[in-house]
């Protein structure tokens, strides 16, 4: 799979990221580096622990990384969770579970597409 096909598979915008990064080689380099980003694991752990503040920070970080790499689908789901968690609270709202399912689905699709690169 080429990097352009990868972006199609993961629901991203290859044209947008190419406007941000000067070459396809760099796009691929940073897409591959995404596999080492800890924010989704941190989000999962924070959600499991019921740590609202840590979950917000991790969701916000994941959204930002996805936005910078133009991982559009993942950015949207992480963004929705970020906005739900934006208001300070002692607990994570129950509706966050459904949003977390979408983030997990989109994250798994994104990482699978990146791993399928030639």
């Amino acid at each position: 799979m080429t990097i352009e096909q990868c972006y199609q598979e993961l629901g991203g915008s290859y044209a947008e990221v190419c406007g941000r990064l000067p070459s396809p080689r760099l796009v691929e380099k940073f897409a591959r580096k995404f596999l080492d980003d800890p924010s989704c694991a941190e989000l999962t752990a924070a959600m499991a622990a019921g740590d609202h503040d840590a979950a917000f920070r991790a969701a916000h970080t994941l959204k930002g990384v996805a936005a910078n790499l133009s991982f559009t689908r993942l950015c949207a789901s992480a963004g929705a969770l970020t906005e739900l968690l934006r208001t300070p609270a002692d607990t994570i709202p129950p509706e966050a579970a459904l949003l977390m399912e979408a983030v997990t689905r989109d994250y798994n699709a994104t990482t699978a597409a990146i791993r399928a690169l030639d």
Side-chain angles (χ1 to χ4, degrees), residues 41-55 57 89-93 100:
E42 291 168 357
L43 174 58
T44 301
M47 291 288 289
D51 187 336
H52 180 277
D53 293 341
R57 284 191 305 275
D90 292 332
T91 61
I92 294 174
M100 186 62 195

Side-chain angles (χ1 to χ4, degrees), residues 23-117:
S23 73
R25 186 182 60 75
L26 279 177
V27 171
E28 184 171 340
K29 175 183 176 181
F30 285 107
R32 288 181 189 275
K33 286 179 97 58
F34 177 75
L35 297 174
D36 297 326
D37 181 83
S39 55
C40 192
E42 291 168 357
L43 174 58
T44 301
M47 291 288 289
D51 187 336
H52 180 277
D53 293 341
F56 170 74
R57 284 191 305 275
H60 190 269
T61 299
L62 181 60
K63 178 191 81 160
V65 172
N68 284 332
L69 292 171
S70 298
F71 295 163
T72 310
R73 192 176 332 165
L74 178 58
C75 181
S77 59
L81 182 56
T82 298
E83 291 312 310
L84 178 67
L85 297 172
R86 185 172 296 282
T87 303
D90 292 332
T91 61
I92 294 174
E95 57 271 26
L98 284 175
L99 294 176
M100 186 62 195
E101 287 178 19
V103 170
T104 300
R105 180 193 64 239
D106 295 340
Y107 178 82
N108 288 341
T110 298
T111 56
I114 294 168
R115 285 186 180 100
L117 282 168

